[in-house]
Amino acid sequence: MPAKRAPGLPSRQQILDFIQESSEPAGKREISRAFGLQGQEKIQLKALLKDMAEEGLIDGKRTAYHRMGGVPKVTVLRVIDIDDGEAIAVPDSWQPDDATPPPRIRLIEKGPGGPKSQRAPALKKGDRVLARTEESNGHWRGYPMKKIAAREEQVLGVVEIDAAGKGWLAPVDKRIRNAMPISDLGGAEKGELVLAEPAGRSMRSGLKVTQVLGEPLAPRAFSLIAIHKHGIPNVFSQEMLDEAERAAKLPLSPEHREDLRHLPIVAIDPSDARDHDDAIWAEPDGEGGFRALVAIADVSFYVRPGSGTDREARKRGNSVYFPDRVVPMLPEVLSADVCSLRSGEDRAAMACHMRIDGRGKVTEWRFTRALVRIAEVIAYEEAQRRIDESAADGEVALEVLQNLWSAWKALATARADRDPLELELPERRVMLDQQGRIAEIAVRERLDAHRVVEDFMIAANVAAAKALEAKVAPVVYRVHEPPSREKLIALKDYLATFDRKLALGQVITPGLFNRMLKDVADESEKALVMEAVLRSQTQAYYGPRNAGHFGLSLGSYAHFTSPIRRYADLLVHRALVDAYGLEQPAPKADLPKTSGLSDRDRDDLSRVSDAISKAERRAMEAERETIDRYVAAWLSSRVGETFPTRITGVQKFGFFATIIGLGGDGLVPVSTLGDERFHYDERAQVLVGEQSGTKYASGDRLPLKLAEANPLTGALKFELVEGGSSGVEPRGKPLPSKPRGKHLVGKRGRPSNIRHQGKKKR
């Protein structure tokens, strides 16, 4: 026991020092005795110990306290890293009495039932959460109670200066409607894109600029906005680049691989593809079927578990594709060079050999590590032209492509027998000129060439899942569960507004939705029903438990065909290496020997599956928002023009419409629809004028004038064309004359979102 201290109520630090030095349990009685406390001082000590416990300085009972290290039981934590999908955080305010570094706290996100990746919001670096903390044997855990609102964290926006010289931040997030005051510009100038954070404990203190990112409308700025907003890792350390360079030099030997260089294997890809990780070949087997091969880049040979490159790929989860750049999962020396299946160069591949019968059923499969030499890399459009024109003007013989199309027709027969969900979802394509400016925005054409590659990839993905199941090996499944009952009820109610029925007592299959869509003759109504069916679907995710793939109508499905850009596929490759004895140790001493699964993944794939599911959603949101910004930038010089539009959603505050053939959703506020009041029918999703009876319903087509286009947020705003009627072309079925479940909506004025900055397309 330490020597007796000077009498009087001790300070917090004195109590902490006493507890630290004590060789016996240090409770309230021992502290009182050590400091010679009497009467009222003991009462004050009790209150002080309670305060220290609430502040996280100590923990325990009155009979034995221990030092906690300054972490309150409930406190704000800041995420500093993502490890295998779990966030690592530190106390947001760390001011200990000494130089002790803040503890690293692993945040445990627990969703209320169902897969964690489906229910728990993804955290990213820089996020702040209110969490309950606990410590055990020196290991800290935090249990998030709520995420601090976005405006309490770092904010991405553009600096504006008012007439009085005061700085304001116009956020690029369209959900934040108002500009925020800046108290510390940090050298930023008007019009610059910046990152800012609260200057004090709350937003009332104003913002301080922490990083200047540059000109917000410059080429490549829109993707940069998404990268920073979503916390997407986009820089490789020099150490990882050096490691990737060493891995890229691993020798390939035909002695340890199946030599397939004699086969005329082709890669059919988009004309602007940055990497090529799959290639295909097929020929008739003489029995009415086909021998087929899907060759996939052997990324697992170069990226080994436990390496720095692997840890970074695991954190990224997938590559992210923007119109102006790609944020790769792997360093470029791997993703765009040695792993990419280039024409005429020897490459390491994981080969899936398949036997396809005349009805398109895959009857046999086997997996090998192979050495391939791609005969030709062909753009989708070029491959389609050669087939359509029977043109033998390519590097490979026309027969090579014709064999692929013949094998695909067999696979298409099997696909038709499965009857997977068929939704026509147009994909917008942004094309840039050499200066990075928008040259054109168009809908990507869907060709048979796309379907050929897609069905070969699906066949190989199914084969990979079943091959692993046959060995009772770990599998990262691609899971798409059937629609929930709640979503089916909502779909049923919506279809009733078209006088269409959906019986919930039957087995719900993709074919049921397909037949429903085929029965709709009116194209406008079909588009609406298709969107409603899409909204009813669950979100696909990765997981070690097989629940089938509803959309593809498959019982077992995994992702095998894109390991350059998806970590899930890399895990499937490693599982195949283990299950089928395909190990090839690395000859370099400074690289991990194994190319199969790591011990932790072999024991439990759930954590990494959750992590890559979250990373996938993050990438999808970032890509979609970037396309919206490009569309808004494309339209910013056409404000005031009238466009043909279709209403995509109706709310009590107005309706959303998209430009037909281009996309980009914009709001028409109810306050701009005229002086009369409008009833909102939630079930039918329609606004009805009280006096005129004018109706605005989902699916209606009408001309609208573009009022605002904000490239920074991607937001559009429309208004009715002045003069005359609304010009509404109603959807297929007439609407009920009296709205049900109505809300009365009046004309209301409110400030619009951040205004267009006046920058025109150059």
Side-chain angles (χ1 to χ4, degrees):
M1 196 75 177
K4 190 165 182 174
R5 314 298 176 103
L9 187 68
S11 67
R12 283 172 166 77
Q13 187 59 46
Q14 287 175 317
I15 292 175
L16 292 174
D17 290 343
F18 174 78
I19 294 172
Q20 187 75 22
E21 297 169 5
S22 177
S23 59
E24 301 176 5
K28 177 175 173 289
R29 179 182 302 174
E30 287 74 24
I31 296 172
S32 297
R33 185 184 304 120
F35 289 94
L37 304 185
Q38 302 292 332
Q40 188 66 27
E41 291 175 332
K42 291 184 178 181
I43 297 175
Q44 293 174 341
L45 175 65
K46 180 179 179 181
L48 177 58
L49 292 173
K50 181 179 179 182
D51 289 343
M52 291 176 68
E54 291 177 352
E55 293 167 9
L57 296 175
I58 59 175
D59 192 21
K61 302 177 181 178
R62 287 182 298 174
T63 56
Y65 290 103
H66 68 268
R67 183 169 179 160
M68 281 185 66
V71 182
K73 289 184 177 179
V74 176
T75 189
V76 175
L77 303 176
R78 185 180 75 258
V79 177
I80 61 169
D81 196 10
I82 304 295
D83 178 23
D84 215 8
E86 290 189 338
I88 306 299
V90 296
D92 191 47
S93 297
W94 180 253
Q95 297 177 336
D97 295 329
D98 54 28
T100 304
R104 291 170 61 88
I105 302 172
R106 186 175 293 275
L107 296 181
I108 309 299
E109 299 177 69
K110 292 185 177 180
K116 181 174 65 174
S117 59
Q118 294 290 90
R119 304 298 180 101
L123 292 174
K124 62 181 184 295
K125 189 175 179 179
D127 282 350
R128 294 164 68 240
V129 295
L130 182 67
R132 178 173 58 83
T133 64
E134 66 178 34
E135 183 265 346
S136 176
N137 297 323
H139 298 288
W140 285 91
R141 289 188 173 188
Y143 298 89
M145 300 165 64
K146 71 172 183 177
K147 184 177 177 181
I148 307 298
R151 60 179 61 210
E152 298 292 335
E153 307 165 356
Q154 282 199 327
V155 185
L156 187 66
V158 175
V159 174
E160 295 181 346
I161 308 293
D162 62 20
K166 182 176 178 57
W168 296 83
L169 188 77
V172 299
D173 189 338
K174 66 178 89 174
R175 295 171 299 180
I176 305 177
R177 300 187 59 83
N178 300 317
M180 305 176 184
I182 300 176
S183 59
D184 181 0
L185 283 168
E189 298 180 358
K190 180 180 179 180
E192 288 187 316
L193 181 68
V194 300
L195 275 172
E197 63 182 23
R201 297 180 65 88
S202 71
M203 295 300 300
R204 282 173 286 191
S205 306
L207 295 171
K208 64 177 180 180
V209 173
T210 58
Q211 187 177 356
V212 178
L213 301 176
E215 165 60 44
L217 297 181
R220 296 167 62 87
F222 296 145
S223 58
L224 190 65
I225 290 172
I227 287 168
H228 282 275
K229 177 185 173 184
H230 293 278
I232 296 172
N234 68 317
V235 177
F236 290 105
S237 69
Q238 188 59 49
E239 180 183 0
M240 288 180 192
L241 293 175
D242 292 343
E243 181 186 89
E245 288 282 356
R246 293 195 301 274
K249 295 176 182 177
L250 288 174
L252 295 179
S253 172
E255 297 177 6
H256 299 97
R257 291 179 175 272
E258 182 182 17
D259 194 343
L260 300 175
R261 289 176 291 181
H262 62 286
L263 293 179
I265 307 170
V266 297
I268 304 177
D269 276 316
S271 58
D272 57 354
R274 274 98 161 184
D275 51 57
H276 309 283
D277 50 12
D278 60 79
I280 53 180
W281 169 85
E283 69 175 8
D285 64 1
E287 300 176 5
F290 297 87
R291 288 186 295 272
L293 172 74
V294 174
I296 305 298
D298 189 2
V299 176
S300 64
F301 178 68
Y302 297 101
V303 181
R304 295 175 177 250
S307 65
T309 309
D310 177 61
R311 289 193 298 272
E312 183 66 17
R314 197 179 185 95
K315 184 184 298 184
R316 297 184 179 212
N318 47 251
S319 297
V320 187
Y321 292 87
F322 299 110
D324 56 15
R325 75 177 81 200
V326 58
V327 180
M329 184 180 79
L330 302 173
E332 189 172 346
V333 68
L334 297 177
S335 61
D337 191 0
V338 297
C339 290
S340 187
L341 302 182
R342 292 178 174 178
S343 175
E345 299 185 19
D346 289 356
R347 286 291 183 263
M350 186 74 78
C352 173
H353 297 264
M354 295 179 289
R355 177 83 66 167
I356 304 170
D357 69 16
R359 292 290 300 174
K361 181 180 179 181
V362 179
T363 57
E364 299 176 18
W365 56 78
R366 66 183 177 89
F367 290 85
T368 65
R369 272 184 150 155
L371 190 63
V372 299
R373 183 179 297 159
I374 304 306
E376 187 178 1
V377 175
I378 314 173
Y380 284 115
E381 296 80 5
E382 172 62 14
Q384 191 67 54
R385 182 194 68 82
R386 295 186 198 176
I387 289 294
D388 293 343
E389 300 177 2
S390 297
D393 53 2
E395 295 178 28
V396 296
L398 177 61
E399 184 183 12
V400 172
L401 294 182
Q402 290 173 333
N403 285 340
L404 289 173
W405 256 250
S406 297
W408 164 64
K409 288 176 182 177
L411 290 172
T413 299
R415 182 187 184 101
D417 291 342
R418 293 199 323 269
D419 204 8
L421 190 60
E422 299 286 355
L423 297 178
E424 298 172 10
L425 304 173
E427 179 187 353
R428 288 175 293 173
R429 181 185 181 191
V430 177
M431 288 169 281
L432 307 177
D433 61 21
Q434 292 183 347
Q435 287 73 42
R437 296 173 299 193
I438 305 168
E440 183 183 357
I441 297 179
V443 175
R444 196 183 294 268
E445 186 180 6
R446 176 82 166 158
L447 305 171
D448 280 349
H450 293 97
R451 298 181 178 92
V452 170
V453 175
E454 180 180 291
D455 282 339
F456 268 83
M457 297 303 111
I458 289 174
N461 287 336
V462 172
K466 291 186 174 180
L468 290 172
E469 289 174 345
K471 293 287 188 176
V472 197
V475 187
V476 176
Y477 290 100
R478 180 62 169 177
V479 180
H480 181 224
E481 297 183 24
S484 66
R485 181 168 179 81
E486 291 77 13
K487 288 192 174 184
L488 288 173
I489 291 173
L491 177 61
K492 176 185 176 183
D493 290 343
Y494 179 68
L495 291 175
T497 67
F498 295 88
D499 293 333
R500 296 188 176 278
K501 296 181 180 180
L502 175 64
L504 299 184
Q506 61 187 315
V507 176
I508 303 298
T509 65
L512 175 68
F513 293 126
N514 292 337
R515 291 189 293 275
M516 181 191 304
L517 290 168
K518 287 179 181 177
D519 290 341
V520 182
D522 182 86
E523 289 301 317
S524 296
E525 183 179 340
K526 178 176 286 189
L528 282 173
V529 174
M530 192 175 296
E531 288 177 3
V533 170
L534 179 62
R535 286 195 301 270
S536 73
Q537 301 303 302
T538 60
Q539 189 169 42
Y541 63 92
Y542 295 105
R545 181 184 64 84
N546 187 18
H549 197 294
F550 177 82
L552 292 175
S553 194
L554 290 168
S556 297
Y557 194 64
H559 275 166
F560 161 78
T561 55
S562 296
I564 288 178
R565 61 185 178 90
R566 290 190 306 229
Y567 197 79
D569 303 53
L570 179 54
L571 290 169
V572 169
H573 280 227
R574 288 173 176 171
L576 288 167
V577 168
D578 284 346
Y580 287 88
L582 304 177
E583 184 60 83
Q584 288 191 3
K588 291 184 178 290
D590 57 347
L591 292 175
K593 294 299 181 184
T594 180
S595 59
L597 288 171
S598 65
D599 290 339
R600 67 171 174 174
D601 287 338
R602 198 175 290 112
D603 294 338
D604 180 17
L605 283 169
S606 59
R607 279 182 58 186
V608 68
S609 297
D610 290 339
I612 56 182
S613 295
K614 290 179 180 180
E616 178 189 42
R617 290 197 296 276
R618 176 183 66 186
M620 291 172 61
E621 290 175 14
E623 291 168 351
R624 183 179 63 249
E625 290 175 6
T626 301
I627 293 292
D628 287 344
R629 289 188 176 95
Y630 270 107
V631 170
W634 174 253
L635 294 170
S636 63
S637 63
R638 304 179 67 180
V639 170
E641 292 186 28
T642 299
F643 295 89
T645 72
R646 179 170 57 84
I647 296 177
T648 57
V650 179
Q651 297 291 333
K652 61 182 179 181
F653 53 80
F655 62 83
F656 293 92
T658 186
I659 297 175
I660 295 172
L662 180 63
D665 276 348
L667 174 66
V668 180
V670 71
S671 59
T672 67
L673 298 181
D675 294 329
E676 67 176 319
R677 292 176 178 269
F678 278 79
H679 297 286
Y680 171 53
D681 184 342
E682 185 174 5
R683 184 184 178 202
Q685 296 185 32
V686 61
L687 284 169
V688 183
E690 192 175 48
Q691 285 82 39
S692 66
T694 300
K695 298 174 181 177
Y696 298 99
S698 290
D700 288 348
R701 297 183 180 220
L702 73 165
L704 290 174
K705 184 171 73 172
L706 181 63
E708 292 182 18
N710 190 331
L712 297 178
T713 64
L716 304 177
K717 186 177 178 182
F718 296 111
E719 58 187 31
L720 298 179
V721 178
E722 294 180 4
S725 65
S726 64
V728 173
E729 299 177 22
R731 61 186 185 180
K733 297 277 185 181
L735 293 166
S737 58
K738 291 186 179 181
R740 295 156 292 189
K742 66 184 180 183
H743 300 273
L744 194 60
V745 182
K747 181 177 180 180
R748 299 173 184 171
R750 59 172 154 182
S752 65
N753 205 333
I754 303 161
R755 295 180 181 274
H756 170 53
Q757 302 292 314
K759 301 275 181 131
K760 302 296 183 182
K761 182 175 74 72
R762 297 172 183 153

